[in-house]
Amino acid sequence: SSSIQLLPDSVKDFDEETHNDPYQVSLYAMDIFNYLKERESLFKVEDYMDRQPSVSQWMRSLLVDWMVEVQESFELNHETLYLAVKLVDLYLAKIVVRKETLQLIGAAAMFISCKFDERIPPQVEDFLYICDGAYTHRELIRMEANVLKVVDFNLGIPLSYRFLRRYARCAKLSLETLTLARYIL
Amino acid sequence: LKNCSMDHYKVVGKIGEGAHGLVLRGQHLDTGQEVALKKVLLKRLEDGIPNTVIREIKALQEVDCEYVVQLLDVFPQGLGFVFVFEFMPSGLWEMLRDAENPLTIPQIKTYMIMLLKGVAYLHEHSIMHRFLQQDLKPANLLISKEGVLKIADLGLGRMFWEEHNRPYSHQVATRWYRAPELLYGARYYTEAVDLWAVGCILGELLTNSPLFPGETDIEQLAIVLKTLGTPTTETWPGLTELPDYNKITFPETRGVGWDQIFPDCSPEAIDLTKKFLLYNSDKRIKAKQALVHPYFFTPPLPCQLSNMPKPTDGHRQQFKSKEYDTEKPVQELFSDLRKMLSS
């Protein structure tokens, strides 16, 4: 395969050990990560806090903490969470919002990323429930459409988490180190 | 929301009830570009926006071909979306009915080349089958003011609208262009279904009337079989395994001769049509192969774009039975859609 030929002789092919496992598609690993690397620069988020008069760093971190809780309680993939946070940031970088809608954006972002990444995504009602009835069905669905529009329907966004997993694997990191790295991300 | 609302467009008229709903004519306020605005409602709101719809919109955005109508913008409105397409003053359906300006053979050839290039593009990018359902028929082939034919209405049918009977339906059913494997209920089919439709369109261009105008699905199959002859396992391997094959049998026929179907056509035209209208979908000619068929290289040759008909602004309206009120406010026009959908 092309990915193996690209490697210099002195470098070990980290995917060699899984070549016999068709589920790992290790032959494509290099292509996949080159693609993700190439697309990464398309989704830069600039510092948008100055342009958000009613949103602060602290409020964003509260929202992310809440999203982590949602991820845990619904037992969602890590990728789902990271994509949702990315969607929130991309949205906030473009649209000025009131603080009351912040949670709605978070919920809509989780809702979208579940559809993208989860095998059995939670339903609208589940998301309305975890927002404790703060928003209506209609509001969530409208926000879903708004978020999709703002990110131009691009959901195939490279995530830091994917790179971390790849690097950890190649560097043969211990689970403790990886967990610490996840925490920092 | 900035850059993604109706505020950027001014509605200048109504194009009509398209295949799936109301289509308004608009103009971009800053650039002056003429656009078609299609408001669509989501089918099942309980689950929000289905990921198939997200995927479909993404695929539509990626399409970049001269012979496919371009999606310029899409933005949420209410509980649906507004799709913004480039404005096309007419369509092949109208061109075929323009008795004062009948199409010449070179013009027909050029339309076919445009259509085949559009289909080849979509097939090459696997856009059609993986993401976008498409119904090829004259009503979905639009003509720009420069005279370029473009494939329209990609995908939009499946996800957005409730099935409904359109009150002003002047358009022919997609059924006429439906490949026989679909009529027999095939669950697994290939892009060859589009080439069957292309063959039907070529036949319609050549004779100026639809080849297989079935009123019902069963009659559709009956007409195809009567015209082309009853298929056998030789002309159509796998025929007997199709889901609906045993549900209905038609009397054996040998079909009408090709010379009889196309009395005044060149042998090359008939040969190409035959290659599209093969029962065996594996043997049906591909869009790319069709583009190098002798039909396009035998005089009279396809004409240049400068010699193609240029539809005037009101061309489409000349062939509509109903006049539209363009004075109504937008909100009111779009509210019609709801009524139409629920009726």
Coordinates of all heavy atoms in Angstrom, one line a residue, chain B residues 173-224:
Chain B
A173 N -45.6 12.2 -14.9 CA -45.1 11.4 -13.8 C -43.7 10.9 -14.2 O -43.3 10.7 -15.3 CB -46.1 10.2 -13.7
T174 N -43.0 10.6 -13.1 CA -41.7 10.1 -13.2 C -41.7 8.7 -13.7 O -40.8 8.1 -14.3 CB -41.0 10.1 -11.8 OG1 -41.1 11.3 -11.3 CG2 -39.6 9.7 -11.9
R175 N -42.9 8.1 -13.5 CA -43.2 6.7 -13.9 C -42.7 6.4 -15.3 O -42.2 5.4 -15.6 CB -44.6 6.4 -13.7 CG -45.1 5.0 -14.0 CD -46.6 4.8 -14.0 NE -47.2 5.4 -12.9 CZ -48.1 6.4 -13.0 NH1 -48.4 6.9 -14.2 NH2 -48.7 6.9 -11.9
W176 N -43.0 7.4 -16.2 CA -42.7 7.2 -17.7 C -41.3 6.9 -17.9 O -40.9 6.3 -18.9 CB -43.1 8.4 -18.5 CG -44.6 8.7 -18.5 CD1 -45.6 7.9 -17.8 CD2 -45.3 9.8 -19.1 NE1 -46.8 8.5 -18.0 CE2 -46.6 9.6 -18.8 CE3 -44.8 10.9 -19.8 CZ2 -47.6 10.6 -19.2 CZ3 -45.8 11.8 -20.3 CH2 -47.2 11.6 -20.0
Y177 N -40.4 7.4 -17.0 CA -39.0 7.3 -17.2 C -38.4 6.2 -16.3 O -37.1 6.1 -16.2 CB -38.3 8.6 -17.0 CG -39.0 9.7 -17.9 CD1 -40.1 10.4 -17.4 CD2 -38.7 9.9 -19.2 CE1 -40.8 11.3 -18.2 CE2 -39.4 10.8 -20.0 CZ -40.4 11.5 -19.5 OH -41.1 12.3 -20.3
R178 N -39.2 5.5 -15.6 CA -38.7 4.5 -14.6 C -38.2 3.2 -15.3 O -38.9 2.6 -16.1 CB -39.8 4.2 -13.6 CG -39.3 3.7 -12.3 CD -40.4 3.6 -11.3 NE -40.8 4.9 -10.8 CZ -41.9 5.2 -10.3 NH1 -42.8 4.3 -10.1 NH2 -42.2 6.5 -9.9
A179 N -37.1 2.8 -14.9 CA -36.4 1.6 -15.5 C -37.3 0.4 -15.1 O -37.9 0.3 -14.0 CB -35.0 1.4 -14.9
P180 N -37.3 -0.6 -16.0 CA -38.1 -1.8 -15.7 C -37.8 -2.6 -14.4 O -38.7 -3.1 -13.8 CB -37.9 -2.7 -17.0 CG -36.7 -2.2 -17.6 CD -36.6 -0.7 -17.3
E181 N -36.5 -2.6 -14.1 CA -36.2 -3.3 -12.8 C -36.9 -2.6 -11.6 O -37.3 -3.3 -10.7 CB -34.6 -3.4 -12.6 CG -33.9 -2.0 -12.5 CD -33.3 -1.6 -13.9 OE1 -34.0 -1.9 -14.9 OE2 -32.2 -1.0 -13.9
L182 N -37.0 -1.3 -11.7 CA -37.7 -0.6 -10.6 C -39.2 -1.0 -10.6 O -39.9 -1.1 -9.6 CB -37.5 0.9 -10.7 CG -36.1 1.4 -10.6 CD1 -36.0 2.9 -10.8 CD2 -35.5 1.1 -9.2
L183 N -39.8 -1.1 -11.8 CA -41.2 -1.4 -12.0 C -41.4 -2.8 -11.4 O -42.5 -3.1 -10.9 CB -41.6 -1.3 -13.4 CG -41.6 0.1 -14.1 CD1 -41.7 0.0 -15.6 CD2 -42.6 1.0 -13.4
Y184 N -40.4 -3.7 -11.5 CA -40.6 -5.0 -10.9 C -40.2 -5.1 -9.5 O -40.0 -6.1 -8.9 CB -39.7 -6.0 -11.7 CG -40.5 -6.6 -12.9 CD1 -40.0 -6.5 -14.2 CD2 -41.7 -7.4 -12.7 CE1 -40.6 -7.1 -15.3 CE2 -42.3 -8.0 -13.8 CZ -41.8 -7.8 -15.1 OH -42.5 -8.4 -16.1
G185 N -40.0 -3.9 -8.9 CA -39.7 -3.8 -7.4 C -38.3 -4.2 -7.0 O -38.1 -4.5 -5.8
A186 N -37.3 -4.0 -7.9 CA -35.9 -4.3 -7.5 C -35.5 -3.5 -6.3 O -35.7 -2.3 -6.3 CB -35.0 -4.1 -8.7
R187 N -34.9 -4.1 -5.3 CA -34.5 -3.4 -4.1 C -33.0 -2.9 -4.3 O -32.5 -2.0 -3.8 CB -34.6 -4.2 -2.9 CG -36.0 -4.2 -2.4 CD -36.2 -4.9 -1.0 NE -37.5 -5.4 -1.0 CZ -37.8 -6.7 -1.1 NH1 -36.9 -7.6 -1.3 NH2 -39.1 -7.1 -1.1
Y188 N -32.3 -3.7 -5.1 CA -30.9 -3.4 -5.4 C -30.8 -3.0 -6.8 O -31.1 -3.8 -7.7 CB -30.0 -4.6 -5.1 CG -30.2 -5.1 -3.7 CD1 -31.0 -6.2 -3.4 CD2 -29.7 -4.4 -2.6 CE1 -31.2 -6.7 -2.2 CE2 -29.9 -4.8 -1.3 CZ -30.7 -6.0 -1.1 OH -30.9 -6.4 0.2
Y189 N -30.5 -1.8 -7.1 CA -30.4 -1.4 -8.5 C -29.2 -0.4 -8.6 O -28.6 0.0 -7.6 CB -31.6 -0.7 -8.9 CG -32.1 0.5 -8.1 CD1 -31.6 1.8 -8.3 CD2 -32.9 0.3 -7.0 CE1 -32.0 2.8 -7.5 CE2 -33.3 1.3 -6.2 CZ -32.8 2.6 -6.5 OH -33.2 3.6 -5.7
T190 N -28.8 -0.2 -9.8 CA -27.6 0.6 -10.0 C -27.9 1.9 -10.7 O -29.0 2.2 -11.0 CB -26.6 -0.2 -10.9 OG1 -27.2 -0.3 -12.2 CG2 -26.3 -1.5 -10.3
E191 N -26.8 2.6 -11.0 CA -27.0 3.9 -11.7 C -27.6 3.7 -13.1 O -28.0 4.7 -13.7 CB -25.7 4.7 -11.7 CG -24.6 3.9 -12.3 CD -23.2 4.4 -11.9 OE1 -23.1 5.0 -10.8 OE2 -22.3 4.2 -12.7
A192 N -27.6 2.5 -13.5 CA -28.1 2.2 -14.9 C -29.6 2.6 -15.0 O -30.1 2.9 -16.1 CB -28.0 0.7 -15.2
V193 N -30.3 2.8 -13.9 CA -31.7 3.2 -13.9 C -31.8 4.7 -14.5 O -32.7 5.0 -15.2 CB -32.4 3.3 -12.5 CG1 -32.5 1.9 -12.0 CG2 -31.8 4.2 -11.6
D194 N -30.7 5.4 -14.3 CA -30.7 6.8 -14.9 C -30.5 6.7 -16.4 O -31.0 7.6 -17.1 CB -29.5 7.6 -14.2 CG -29.7 7.8 -12.8 OD1 -30.9 8.0 -12.3 OD2 -28.7 7.7 -12.0
L195 N -29.8 5.7 -16.9 CA -29.5 5.6 -18.3 C -30.8 5.2 -19.0 O -31.0 5.5 -20.2 CB -28.3 4.7 -18.6 CG -26.9 5.3 -18.4 CD1 -26.9 6.7 -19.0 CD2 -26.5 5.4 -17.0
W196 N -31.6 4.4 -18.3 CA -32.9 4.0 -18.9 C -33.7 5.3 -19.1 O -34.3 5.6 -20.2 CB -33.7 3.1 -18.0 CG -35.1 2.8 -18.5 CD1 -36.2 3.5 -18.3 CD2 -35.4 1.7 -19.3 NE1 -37.2 2.9 -19.0 CE2 -36.8 1.8 -19.6 CE3 -34.7 0.6 -19.9 CZ2 -37.5 0.9 -20.4 CZ3 -35.4 -0.3 -20.6 CH2 -36.8 -0.2 -20.9
A197 N -33.7 6.2 -18.1 CA -34.4 7.4 -18.2 C -33.9 8.3 -19.3 O -34.7 8.9 -20.1 CB -34.3 8.2 -16.9
V198 N -32.6 8.3 -19.5 CA -32.0 9.1 -20.5 C -32.4 8.5 -21.9 O -32.7 9.3 -22.8 CB -30.4 9.0 -20.5 CG1 -29.8 9.6 -21.7 CG2 -29.9 9.8 -19.2
G199 N -32.5 7.2 -22.0 CA -33.0 6.6 -23.2 C -34.5 7.0 -23.5 O -34.8 7.4 -24.7
C200 N -35.3 7.1 -22.5 CA -36.7 7.5 -22.7 C -36.7 9.0 -23.1 O -37.5 9.4 -24.0 CB -37.5 7.4 -21.4 SG -37.6 5.7 -20.8
I201 N -35.8 9.8 -22.6 CA -35.8 11.2 -22.9 C -35.3 11.4 -24.4 O -35.9 12.2 -25.1 CB -34.9 12.0 -21.9 CG1 -35.5 12.0 -20.6 CG2 -34.6 13.4 -22.4 CD1 -34.6 12.4 -19.4
L202 N -34.3 10.6 -24.8 CA -33.9 10.7 -26.2 C -35.0 10.3 -27.1 O -35.3 11.0 -28.1 CB -32.7 9.7 -26.4 CG -32.2 9.6 -27.8 CD1 -31.8 10.9 -28.4 CD2 -30.9 8.6 -27.9
G203 N -35.7 9.2 -26.7 CA -36.8 8.8 -27.6 C -37.9 9.9 -27.7 O -38.5 10.1 -28.8
E204 N -38.1 10.6 -26.6 CA -39.1 11.6 -26.6 C -38.7 12.8 -27.4 O -39.5 13.4 -28.1 CB -39.4 12.1 -25.1 CG -40.5 13.0 -25.0 CD -41.0 13.1 -23.5 OE1 -40.7 12.2 -22.7 OE2 -41.7 14.1 -23.2
L205 N -37.4 13.1 -27.4 CA -36.8 14.2 -28.2 C -36.9 13.9 -29.7 O -37.2 14.7 -30.5 CB -35.4 14.5 -27.9 CG -35.1 15.2 -26.6 CD1 -33.6 15.1 -26.2 CD2 -35.5 16.6 -26.6
L206 N -36.7 12.6 -30.0 CA -36.7 12.2 -31.4 C -38.1 12.1 -32.0 O -38.3 12.5 -33.2 CB -36.1 10.8 -31.6 CG -34.6 10.7 -31.2 CD1 -34.1 9.2 -31.3 CD2 -33.8 11.5 -32.2
T207 N -39.1 11.7 -31.2 CA -40.5 11.6 -31.8 C -41.4 12.7 -31.3 O -42.5 12.7 -31.7 CB -41.1 10.2 -31.3 OG1 -41.2 10.2 -29.9 CG2 -40.2 9.0 -31.8
N208 N -40.9 13.5 -30.4 CA -41.7 14.6 -29.8 C -43.0 14.1 -29.1 O -43.9 14.8 -28.9 CB -42.2 15.5 -31.0 CG -42.1 17.0 -30.5 OD1 -42.0 17.2 -29.2 ND2 -42.2 17.9 -31.4
S209 N -42.9 12.8 -28.6 CA -43.9 12.4 -27.7 C -43.4 11.3 -26.8 O -42.4 10.6 -27.2 CB -45.2 11.9 -28.5 OG -44.9 10.6 -28.9
P210 N -43.9 11.2 -25.6 CA -43.3 10.3 -24.6 C -43.3 8.8 -25.2 O -44.3 8.4 -25.8 CB -44.1 10.4 -23.4 CG -45.3 11.2 -23.7 CD -45.0 12.0 -25.0
L211 N -42.3 8.1 -24.9 CA -42.2 6.7 -25.4 C -43.1 5.8 -24.7 O -43.8 5.0 -25.3 CB -40.8 6.2 -25.2 CG -39.7 6.3 -26.2 CD1 -38.5 5.5 -25.8 CD2 -40.2 5.9 -27.6
F212 N -43.1 5.8 -23.3 CA -43.9 4.9 -22.6 C -44.8 5.6 -21.6 O -44.6 5.7 -20.4 CB -43.0 4.0 -21.7 CG -41.9 3.3 -22.6 CD1 -40.6 3.5 -22.2 CD2 -42.2 2.5 -23.6 CE1 -39.5 2.9 -22.9 CE2 -41.2 1.9 -24.4 CZ -39.8 2.1 -24.0
P213 N -45.9 6.2 -22.1 CA -46.8 7.0 -21.2 C -47.8 6.2 -20.4 O -49.0 6.2 -20.7 CB -47.5 8.0 -22.1 CG -47.5 7.3 -23.5 CD -46.4 6.2 -23.5
G214 N -47.3 5.5 -19.4 CA -48.2 4.7 -18.6 C -49.1 5.5 -17.6 O -48.5 6.4 -17.0
E215 N -50.3 5.1 -17.4 CA -51.2 5.8 -16.5 C -51.0 5.3 -15.1 O -51.3 6.0 -14.1 CB -52.6 5.7 -16.9 CG -53.0 6.5 -18.1 CD -53.0 8.1 -17.9 OE1 -53.4 8.5 -16.8 OE2 -52.6 8.8 -18.8
T216 N -50.7 4.0 -15.0 CA -50.5 3.4 -13.7 C -49.2 2.6 -13.8 O -48.6 2.4 -14.8 CB -51.6 2.4 -13.3 OG1 -51.5 1.3 -14.3 CG2 -52.9 3.0 -13.4
D217 N -48.7 2.1 -12.6 CA -47.4 1.3 -12.6 C -47.6 0.1 -13.4 O -46.6 -0.3 -14.1 CB -47.0 1.0 -11.2 CG -46.4 2.2 -10.5 OD1 -46.4 3.3 -11.1 OD2 -45.9 2.1 -9.4
I218 N -48.7 -0.6 -13.4 CA -48.9 -1.8 -14.1 C -49.0 -1.5 -15.6 O -48.4 -2.2 -16.4 CB -50.1 -2.6 -13.6 CG1 -49.8 -3.1 -12.2 CG2 -50.5 -3.7 -14.5 CD1 -51.0 -3.7 -11.5
E219 N -49.8 -0.5 -15.9 CA -49.9 -0.1 -17.3 C -48.5 0.3 -17.9 O -48.1 0.0 -19.0 CB -50.9 1.0 -17.5 CG -51.3 1.1 -19.0 CD -51.9 2.5 -19.3 OE1 -51.9 3.4 -18.5 OE2 -52.3 2.6 -20.5
Q220 N -47.7 0.9 -17.0 CA -46.4 1.3 -17.4 C -45.5 0.1 -17.9 O -45.0 0.1 -19.0 CB -45.6 2.0 -16.2 CG -44.3 2.6 -16.5 CD -44.4 3.7 -17.5 OE1 -45.3 4.5 -17.5 NE2 -43.5 3.7 -18.5
L221 N -45.6 -0.9 -17.1 CA -44.8 -2.1 -17.4 C -45.4 -2.8 -18.7 O -44.7 -3.2 -19.5 CB -44.9 -3.1 -16.2 CG -43.9 -4.2 -16.0 CD1 -42.5 -3.6 -16.2 CD2 -44.0 -4.8 -14.6
A222 N -46.7 -2.7 -18.8 CA -47.4 -3.3 -19.9 C -46.9 -2.6 -21.2 O -46.6 -3.3 -22.2 CB -48.9 -3.3 -19.8
I223 N -46.9 -1.3 -21.2 CA -46.5 -0.5 -22.4 C -45.0 -0.8 -22.7 O -44.7 -1.0 -23.9 CB -46.7 1.0 -22.1 CG1 -48.2 1.3 -22.0 CG2 -46.1 1.8 -23.3 CD1 -48.5 2.8 -21.7
V224 N -44.2 -0.8 -21.7 CA -42.8 -1.1 -22.0 C -42.6 -2.5 -22.7 O -42.0 -2.6 -23.7 CB -41.9 -1.1 -20.7 CG1 -40.5 -1.6 -21.0 CG2 -41.9 0.4 -20.2

